Amino acid sequence: PKTAPVAAVSGRPAGKDVAALRLKFGLSQGQFARLLGMSAPAIARWETKKGAIAMQSRPQSAWRAVAGIERAEARRRIGLGDR
C-alpha cells in the first residue's frame, strides 16, 4: 500500500498529500475532517492548495498523528470500522 510522502508526515503537507491520505483511508472530506478535528470546508481548501500548507499548531499536530496510521485505524477512530 502507498504511504504518505515523508515530507507530508514530518513537514508541512501539500494539498495533494492531504487528498492522497484521505483517499488512502477511503474517507469523504467530512469524515477526514472529523478524524483531524477540522471542518470539511477546511479540508476542501487544503486539497486545492498548491505547495505546502501553512497549518496552525493544532491541525499540524493532528496531521502528524494520523499521517502514519493505516486505513483500518483511521476508520476505527471515527467509528467506521474497516468497511
Side-chain angles (χ1 to χ4, degrees), residues 10-45:
S10 61
R12 291 176 19 196
K16 64 182 179 179
D17 300 320
V18 174
L21 187 60
R22 179 177 67 79
L23 293 173
K24 172 189 167 185
F25 292 159
L27 301 176
S28 68
Q29 287 179 336
Q31 292 165 331
F32 192 63
R34 194 166 71 222
L35 179 66
L36 292 173
M38 304 291 298
S39 69
I43 298 301
R45 281 191 305 275

